[in-house]
Amino acid sequence: MLLSSLETANKPGITVLCLGSHPDDIEIGCGGTIIRLVETFPQISVGWIVFSAGRRRRSEAEASAADHLRGVPRKTVSVRTFRESFFPSQLAAIKKEFERLKRDWDPDVIFTHYRHDLHQDHRIISDLTWNTWRRHLIFEYEIPKYDGDLGSPNVFVPLDKRIGETKVIHLMRHFATQRSKAWFTEDTFWAMMRIRGVEANSPTAYAEAFHCRKLVLR
C-alpha cells in the first residue's frame, strides 16, 4: 500500500526523511523499506538524521547510511552528538534541531520511532516528529528490545528475501559495537520480518511494519 500510494503521486521522485535516535535505529526499523524505495524511485531524495553517536558509532552510522543510499542522487546524512539515554534532559536543544530540520525538509514521508517505544530517547524523537511536521505522512517504525513494547502496527511493506538478506547483512557488517548484545543477532531481525510478513499475508513471506496514526486523503 505504501509504495503503490507513493507511485500514484505522479511525481518524478519522492522525498523521504529518516529520523533515528541512535546508529542502527533507522536500519532496524525501516532499512528494508528504504532499500525498496531507493530501488523504486530513481529520483528519490533522502534525509538521514541520527541524533546521538560517539566517534566510533558515528563512523558506523555514516558507513551504513552510505550503503543504504548508494546511488541516491540527492541525500543528506547527518549525525548529531546528543548524549545517549539522556534525551529528556536535552529536550530544548533537540527541539531546536527539529526546528532547523523543518526549514530544510518538506518530505513526502517521514520515518520515525514508535510513540509508545519504552526507550526514553525514542519517545522524544517520535513526539518531536509529530510536533514539528503536522501536515505530513509519518510512519513509526519498531525496535525489538527486552522491554516487550512491540505493538500492533497497521502498515506493512512486503520485502522479498533478497532485500531481507541485504538488510541483515548491512546490520551485522556495520554495527560491530552492538554484536555483544544478546538481541542483536541475525535471527532476531529475520524473526521480526517473518512475523510481520505473516500478519501482512505477504506474498514474499517477509515484511516490515509501521504505525500510522493519521492519514489525510486528498
Side-chain angles (χ1 to χ4, degrees):
M1 177 181 174
L2 166 60
L3 289 169
S4 61
S5 297
L6 290 172
E7 285 168 354
T8 59
N10 197 28
K11 299 172 63 176
I14 63 168
T15 300
V16 176
L17 181 60
C18 304
L19 305 173
S21 297
H22 317 106
D24 75 25
D25 285 344
I26 296 170
E27 291 86 341
I28 293 171
C30 60
T33 300
I34 296 303
I35 293 169
R36 272 205 67 183
L37 288 170
V38 168
E39 292 181 354
T40 303
F41 298 95
Q43 298 304 313
I44 193 172
S45 299
V46 180
W48 186 289
I49 314 299
V50 177
F51 285 86
S52 176
R55 180 178 299 176
R56 186 177 179 190
R57 297 218 68 197
R58 180 189 186 95
S59 297
E60 290 181 337
E62 292 173 341
S64 177
D67 249 1
H68 280 79
L69 304 180
R70 193 176 307 279
V72 173
R74 292 177 296 276
K75 57 192 171 188
T76 298
V77 177
S78 180
V79 182
R80 282 23 177 199
T81 57
F82 292 101
R83 186 181 179 188
E84 182 178 355
S85 300
F86 286 82
F87 281 19
S89 65
Q90 304 168 87
L91 180 58
I94 298 173
K95 170 64 175 174
K96 289 181 180 178
E97 288 296 321
F98 270 81
E99 290 302 307
R100 295 188 186 99
L101 288 170
K102 183 179 180 179
R103 293 194 294 268
D104 296 334
W105 291 94
D106 183 22
D108 295 293
V109 60
I110 301 170
F111 292 96
T112 192
H113 288 281
Y114 176 40
R115 177 175 286 175
H116 299 300
D117 192 310
L118 292 179
H119 193 298
Q120 64 275 16
D121 292 355
H122 297 180
R123 291 197 306 275
I124 290 293
I125 297 304
S126 181
D127 287 344
L128 287 176
T129 302
W130 283 96
N131 180 256
T132 304
W133 288 279
R134 302 192 179 191
R135 297 186 298 105
H136 295 74
L137 181 60
I138 297 173
F139 291 109
E140 300 175 2
Y141 56 76
E142 53 187 0
I143 305 288
K145 63 179 75 66
Y146 75 92
D147 302 271
D149 57 8
L150 298 178
S152 298
N154 55 8
V155 175
F156 298 86
V157 178
L159 304 174
D160 62 34
K161 190 171 183 179
R162 173 187 60 84
I163 289 180
E165 288 174 345
T166 301
K167 170 178 177 169
V168 173
I169 287 170
H170 283 343
L171 281 163
M172 303 311 296
R173 173 191 297 156
H174 291 297
F175 297 104
T177 59
Q178 305 305 294
R179 291 183 199 147
S180 61
K181 295 182 177 179
W183 65 271
F184 197 95
T185 60
E186 293 186 15
D187 57 357
T188 297
F189 304 129
W190 278 115
M192 287 292 298
M193 289 188 285
R194 183 67 185 107
I195 289 171
R196 297 318 189 194
V198 170
E199 292 177 340
N201 195 24
S202 170
T204 61
Y206 303 101
E208 285 180 335
F210 306 92
H211 299 264
C212 182
R213 301 187 178 277
K214 187 178 295 185
L215 175 64
V216 179
L217 297 177
R218 296 187 177 93

